[in-house]
Amino acid sequence: MARQKTFEPDEALDKAMRLFWRRGYHATSIQDLVEATGLNRASLYDTFGGKEDLFLAAVERYLAQVNRARLAKLRANPSPQSALTGYFEDLIAFATGEGRHLGCLLTNSAIEFGERGEGIGQRLYGLFDEVEETLVGLIEKAQALGEVSPAKDPRAAARFLLTMINGMRVMSRVKSDDAAWMRDAASGLSWLFGEPPRGSKAV
């Protein structure tokens, strides 16, 4: 009879995800993962496979817990301008609070793997495409509502926002100046939507 697992795989995966998030893929060894999760090597391999399999599972966990929740919140808001304002406020709050110096697991990993076209690199860049498509749809909706000028190219605007978002995530690993984040976000959103009303928040 096969022995039953005496641990929670999701809990172990959360610990592995946080370790990869802090250290990166290449700087994290199997022994590091054993110590972080509290599992022995046999249990780790039996449950998750090799290091690459575990990393991809951690990325999926991150998507479920962080990335897709934010994208769903973006899509649910009837006002694209309000949705993006809230999105940037959330990024700033996380970067200057509990996520201080962490950045984003996806952004960090994309930088680490560079332009690799297969395996992990291919999966990571596919995820950025998903975010871009969400932003394109949001900008097209904003144009239909009169929140964004029809003269703006939705694809180019989405890529501009994606670049700004990832830039903020990279800089959040070394800086945590709230006022600076607010000003930078306001500048990008003003380019897209126009100047914010007087008396409104910076983002």
Side-chain angles (χ1 to χ4, degrees):
M1 179 183 294
R3 294 178 59 187
Q4 292 186 334
K5 290 184 173 65
T6 58
F7 62 91
E8 290 293 333
D10 285 347
E11 184 179 337
L13 188 55
D14 283 340
K15 292 176 180 177
M17 178 189 75
R18 288 192 288 270
L19 184 62
F20 282 127
W21 197 349
R22 288 196 309 271
R23 293 192 180 181
Y25 179 82
H26 292 102
T28 300
S29 68
I30 289 294
Q31 184 58 37
D32 293 331
L33 291 164
V34 166
E35 294 173 3
T37 61
L39 305 181
N40 58 45
R41 286 177 180 250
S43 294
L44 198 68
Y45 283 111
D46 179 58
T47 304
F48 301 108
K51 178 180 169 181
E52 181 172 329
D53 293 324
L54 177 54
F55 177 76
L56 288 172
V59 167
E60 292 299 329
R61 187 75 170 165
Y62 179 87
L63 287 174
Q65 291 186 341
V66 180
N67 201 61
R68 292 203 171 108
R70 286 178 176 163
L71 292 182
K73 189 176 177 181
L74 269 176
R75 298 185 189 107
N77 195 317
S79 166
Q81 183 171 10
S82 175
L84 282 168
T85 295
Y87 184 83
F88 277 97
E89 286 176 343
D90 287 347
L91 286 181
I92 292 165
F94 183 78
T96 57
E98 61 178 309
R100 189 183 179 96
H101 303 312
L102 275 177
C104 164
L105 176 60
L106 303 183
T107 304
N108 297 349
S109 301
I111 292 170
E112 181 177 2
F113 283 92
E115 297 183 358
R116 299 186 185 194
E118 298 180 358
I120 293 175
Q122 185 178 51
R123 178 70 180 118
L124 290 170
Y125 281 94
L127 297 173
F128 285 114
D129 290 340
E130 179 182 343
V131 177
E132 182 180 317
E133 291 306 318
T134 296
L135 292 173
V136 169
L138 205 66
I139 293 164
E140 289 175 341
K141 180 179 177 181
Q143 289 177 322
L145 293 172
E147 292 183 346
V148 170
S149 167
K152 285 191 167 61
D153 179 346
R155 179 72 57 185
R159 288 174 177 168
F160 169 79
L161 289 178
L162 187 57
T163 299
M164 186 167 70
I165 289 165
N166 286 320
M168 290 175 66
R169 286 168 168 168
V170 171
M171 290 304 297
S172 73
R173 301 198 71 185
V174 294
K175 292 182 63 178
S176 58
D177 183 334
D178 295 60
W181 295 128
M182 297 288 272
R183 287 194 300 271
D184 292 346
S187 175
L189 293 179
S190 294
W191 171 84
L192 183 62
F193 294 106
E195 292 299 323
R198 293 184 64 182
S200 68
K201 286 186 177 183
V203 292

